[in-house]
Amino acid sequence: MNAVSSSAGTWRYAPVRDPRLLPIVEKVEAGERLTFEEGLVLYHTPDYNTLMRLANRVRERKHGSKTYFVHSLRLEFTNICYVGCTFCAFAARKGEARAWDYSVEEVIAKVREKWEPGLTELHMSSGHHPNRPWSYYPQMVRALNENFPGIQVKAFTAAEIEHLSKISKKPTLEVLRELKEAGLVALPGGGAEIFAERVRKQIAKNKVKAEKWLQIHREAHSLGLRTNATMLYGHIETLEERLDHMDRLRRLQDETGGFYSFIPLAFQPDANALAFNLGKTEFTTGLDDLRNLAVARLYLDNFDHIKGYWVMISSDLVQVSLDWGVSDIDGTIIEEHIAHAAGATSPLGLSRQKMVQLIQAAGRIPVERDALYNELRVFEAPIASGNRAPRAAAH
């Protein structure tokens, strides 16, 4: 058994079974940045216990036991898309029976139909529609703000922004500026997939290129529009390519500070060409999901939050992930279709009470936030009897 002496004492008597982790433990304790090679050690170490405790150490240093969620509605205004990503089971061609394409009036009606008291975030991402004019998009954002005062519209991935730039013949910066003027407050992190060109050519060859994705987020940050960042993993990418993806995000975050959170998205192996071609029918393992989250928490030292996306890894595993570096579990997400089209088995949304119970049962303190990460309510006491008491906040 190895022993690590650190000023914090947390590791002094803890077994560190992989000696390659000893210098990493010292760096984490000192708050020093990890190198690419050290990130790979985290991906390969068999010492899960130390990996978990390291990620939790950073998570609690940043947030104590607080765990964030948002009361949110998910709306996909069309599934018509010409891009043809091989991992996607959501997209439909125009004229297909399962295709939908809402007008602005229908978008308003859909939101009204799903509206719940206390709803703060409207998250929208959809297909790249080949025929909708540019005017439709700012008009929709403006109409949502007029009809639902106080709602925060977080919408349009960087891939969609590039599409809007093409159809409007405007630079992406101008597209972002006009959407912000219409009432857009933030961007989701989708469309990133994996930045490595080798992988991108096979899973998303017609989608926005990696450098353009990063440029669009850089431009959004320059306008004061904060964004999230995602990574689709568990298909054909290597561990080096996962870390390369994180490394590019870390460098942009150093430059702009504009990302709220990093969200690893587990590949869903159903009803898409990529899964069929790979003969893949199984989901990512829980251990791979947890390791990936922990590596992200340790490597992305300049990100406030690592998000456990319960829709893809299940609400059960997301509870466990709160000890593996996760400090945000997204939201109620009423109601998601993109991941479910590809096989996600999670419910179509969770209630606010369920979110609170889920976090409290894991011994953490639920904090309801809005789309801009303003704290709206801290739930100090467990709702249901028999749950674990919240932990004391770490200092």
Side-chain angles (χ1 to χ4, degrees):
M1 182 178 81
N2 298 302
V4 176
S5 296
S6 71
S7 57
T10 306
W11 306 93
R12 191 164 296 164
Y13 305 108
V16 179
R17 295 185 173 86
D18 183 351
R20 297 175 300 170
L21 291 178
L22 292 172
I24 295 177
V25 169
E26 295 289 359
K27 290 183 78 170
V28 169
E29 280 300 309
E32 297 175 7
R33 172 164 286 187
L34 302 184
T35 65
F36 193 90
E37 291 70 26
E38 289 165 337
L40 287 178
V41 170
L42 297 176
Y43 263 129
H44 288 286
T45 181
D47 189 350
Y48 288 102
N49 188 40
T50 301
L51 177 62
M52 176 191 70
R53 288 185 295 116
L54 280 171
N56 191 53
R57 173 73 172 144
V58 175
R59 178 247 202 266
E60 296 206 342
R61 185 186 292 153
K62 287 179 176 286
H63 303 290
S65 276
K66 285 184 174 179
T67 299
Y68 295 80
F69 74 96
V70 63
H71 192 23
S72 62
L73 172 64
R74 197 64 58 98
L75 181 71
E76 292 91 14
F77 45 86
T78 184
N79 65 344
I80 296 174
C81 186
Y82 63 82
V83 174
C85 298
T86 61
F87 62 84
C88 181
F90 169 78
R93 295 289 180 182
K94 196 172 182 181
E96 277 189 53
R98 65 187 188 88
W100 71 81
D101 180 19
Y102 299 147
S103 66
V104 170
E105 292 73 22
E106 288 170 326
V107 167
I108 299 301
K110 284 288 177 184
V111 174
R112 203 177 301 284
E113 176 188 330
K114 300 293 181 183
W115 185 263
E116 292 183 3
L119 201 66
T120 56
E121 178 187 287
L122 176 59
H123 176 127
M124 294 195 300
S125 61
S126 291
H128 293 38
H129 195 293
N131 304 116
R132 281 283 184 195
W134 155 244
S135 58
Y136 165 81
Y137 299 92
Q139 183 187 351
M140 176 170 56
V141 174
R142 195 168 285 111
L144 286 165
N145 279 281
E146 289 170 355
N147 281 272
F148 306 99
I151 193 75
Q152 295 173 322
V153 180
K154 183 184 79 179
F156 311 119
T157 66
E160 291 172 272
I161 295 295
E162 188 199 41
H163 167 67
L164 300 183
S165 171
K166 289 178 179 176
I167 63 172
S168 68
K169 303 187 187 311
K170 299 172 186 282
T172 50
L173 181 63
E174 183 58 28
V175 167
L176 289 164
R177 181 178 287 114
E178 292 188 29
L179 289 172
K180 182 182 179 186
E181 289 172 358
L184 184 72
V185 301
L187 266 63
E193 322 313 355
I194 285 282
F195 289 147
E197 189 64 15
R198 179 194 74 84
V199 179
R200 219 168 177 80
K201 283 181 178 176
Q202 296 183 62
I203 70 170
K205 66 178 181 181
N206 297 322
K207 187 171 272 185
V208 62
K209 302 300 181 190
E211 285 308 311
K212 185 65 176 179
W213 188 99
L214 292 163
Q215 178 189 326
I216 289 169
H217 280 260
R218 182 182 291 109
E219 290 173 347
H221 299 169
S222 74
L223 295 174
L225 284 168
R226 299 285 299 273
T227 70
N228 294 310
T230 60
M231 177 180 76
L232 183 69
Y233 69 97
H235 40 89
I236 61 172
E237 85 288 356
T238 65
L239 297 179
E240 287 80 3
E241 286 163 340
R242 289 189 196 182
L243 202 60
D244 165 72
H245 188 96
M246 293 185 200
D247 195 66
R248 299 195 209 192
L249 291 173
R250 190 169 77 173
R251 280 184 269 141
L252 181 55
Q253 182 74 331
D254 277 344
E255 180 184 331
T256 67
F259 289 115
Y260 282 126
S261 68
F262 175 67
I263 313 156
L265 302 175
F267 175 61
Q268 306 294 295
D270 193 16
N272 59 72
L274 182 59
F276 179 79
N277 292 336
L278 295 173
K280 192 175 180 63
T281 58
E282 296 181 348
F283 291 83
T284 52
T285 67
L287 208 51
D288 188 20
D289 296 329
L290 293 172
R291 182 199 286 271
N292 204 53
L293 290 162
V295 173
R297 180 59 288 165
L298 291 164
Y299 197 76
L300 295 174
D301 58 341
N302 53 3
F303 275 64
D304 280 345
H305 295 282
I306 303 300
K307 188 181 289 189
Y309 191 49
W310 64 264
V311 170
M312 287 183 168
I313 64 172
S314 84
S315 57
D316 292 336
L317 191 64
V318 94
Q319 282 183 305
V320 180
S321 77
L322 301 184
D323 287 340
W324 289 72
V326 166
S327 55
D328 188 307
I329 60 171
D330 204 301
T332 50
I333 312 181
I334 314 162
E335 53 183 35
E336 197 278 342
H337 291 283
I338 295 176
H340 286 86
T345 57
S346 53
L348 282 173
L350 295 175
S351 69
R352 291 165 82 193
Q353 184 179 10
K354 180 64 178 176
M355 298 294 286
V356 170
Q357 290 175 335
L358 186 152
I359 294 167
Q360 288 179 332
R364 302 288 183 173
I365 299 172
V367 178
E368 184 178 351
R369 62 167 175 82
D370 63 13
L372 306 180
Y373 278 82
N374 296 305
E375 292 188 9
L376 303 180
R377 183 181 175 188
V378 179
F379 297 80
E380 294 288 357
I383 281 182
S385 61
N387 288 333
R388 286 168 58 185
R391 307 173 185 201
H395 298 289

